[in-house]
Amino acid sequence: MPRSSPTGQTRSDATRAALIAAATEVFARSGFEAVGTREIASAAGVHPALIGYHFGGKEGLYLAVFEHIASAMGQRVGPALAGIEAALAEPADPAAASARGLALLCQLCDAMVATLADEASGPWGPLMMREQQSPTPAFDLIYERFMKRMLGAMTKLVRVVDPSRSEAAARLTVVGIMGQIMVFRVARAGVMRHLGWQRLGAAQLAQAQAAVRENVQRLCGPGTLSEGPNGGPRRRPSAPQRKLRG
């Protein structure tokens, strides 16, 4: 019978977790190609052969890292997503649907900002950036396991807020929203320097969430987008524009 720790984790589970944690840091720092199994094993404090035993090799360990990221993001954002999906499945008063949709969208954005601003997600930025630039099966994994569900829910909410918006326009709106959220992880150093922040604590997080919510309200309000010539969105003035005088 496998030995377990006081927390109920077996030695095998502990080894697997240590390898995933070490690999996350090492892959984030150096990339997949530049890393060898010995370096990862050394960082985890285990024998290199255990990578093959638990994951079948370096590729399997790399995928396990993204499984872990998808699972961690799901745990943080999953409850908000589940609540939103349940709300979308229920009939709503048309008069209140837009306001409710906006509140739910902002709730989801709050959860995403908190997750990506957390120090624990630090190594995720470089990993996800590399996969966005040069996708591998790891990108497929995290997209199917987490991103697809989240982006789909956000797109539905944008169309609840503004029913006149097309599917294509709503999807592009979501891309814009996600850019504002992801920047707190993938461009963290520049964000912190620009804002004059030394740390991203509770007060700074609240400011970031409030700023994203305000921008989401502006992006998603009815009448802010119209169809462009190629089926994409084109910003529509909310009030008559003043003509410039020569």
Side-chain angles (χ1 to χ4, degrees):
M1 182 175 179
R3 294 181 180 180
S4 61
S5 70
T7 62
Q9 188 179 49
T10 66
R11 180 178 295 177
S12 178
D13 290 339
T15 299
R16 182 181 175 86
L19 282 167
I20 289 174
T24 301
E25 296 284 347
V26 175
F27 284 137
R29 181 174 63 247
S30 304
F32 178 81
E33 297 295 341
V35 173
T37 55
R38 290 185 178 277
E39 180 181 356
I40 298 170
S42 175
V46 303
H47 194 279
L50 289 173
I51 292 177
Y53 175 78
H54 285 283
F55 305 101
K58 187 172 76 165
E59 293 82 358
L61 177 55
Y62 187 69
L63 290 175
V65 166
F66 280 83
E67 285 271 10
H68 174 73
I69 293 173
S71 177
M73 294 186 77
Q75 289 175 8
R76 293 287 298 271
V77 183
L81 263 177
I84 287 166
E85 289 166 346
L88 287 171
E90 296 175 356
D93 176 9
S98 180
R100 185 182 72 159
L102 184 58
L104 290 171
L105 182 57
C106 288
Q107 177 187 337
L108 182 54
C109 289
D110 279 352
M112 281 298 298
V113 173
T115 298
L116 293 177
D118 192 334
E119 290 293 344
S121 70
W124 300 356
L127 288 168
M128 290 192 289
M129 282 291 288
R130 288 192 184 98
E131 286 298 322
Q132 293 285 349
Q133 296 297 321
S134 301
T136 72
F139 173 78
D140 296 332
L141 186 155
I142 199 164
Y143 186 87
E144 293 297 327
R145 282 280 308 274
F146 177 75
M147 291 179 65
K148 183 178 180 179
R149 180 186 176 197
M150 183 195 64
L151 295 173
M154 292 177 75
T155 302
K156 289 178 181 177
L157 286 172
V158 169
R159 298 198 72 191
V160 168
V161 177
D162 180 10
S164 68
R165 196 166 305 204
S166 71
E167 176 75 13
R171 285 173 181 264
L172 279 168
T173 300
V174 168
V175 170
I177 294 171
M178 283 304 301
Q180 297 180 58
I181 296 172
M182 290 294 295
V183 72
F184 288 100
R185 172 47 57 204
V186 300
R188 191 185 187 91
V191 167
M192 300 290 281
R193 183 75 61 88
H194 179 65
L195 295 174
W197 292 350
Q198 300 302 313
R199 60 189 294 270
L200 213 166
Q204 292 80 14
L205 173 61
Q207 291 179 53
Q209 289 171 322
V212 171
R213 285 197 303 271
E214 183 178 350
N215 289 337
V216 166
Q217 291 169 15
R218 291 174 175 172
L219 278 171
C220 297
T224 57
L225 291 176
S226 64
E227 293 297 320
N230 297 316
R234 176 175 57 199
R235 185 153 296 280
R236 188 164 61 218
S238 55
Q241 294 182 326
R242 180 173 58 87
K243 292 183 178 180
L244 297 176
R245 296 180 179 178

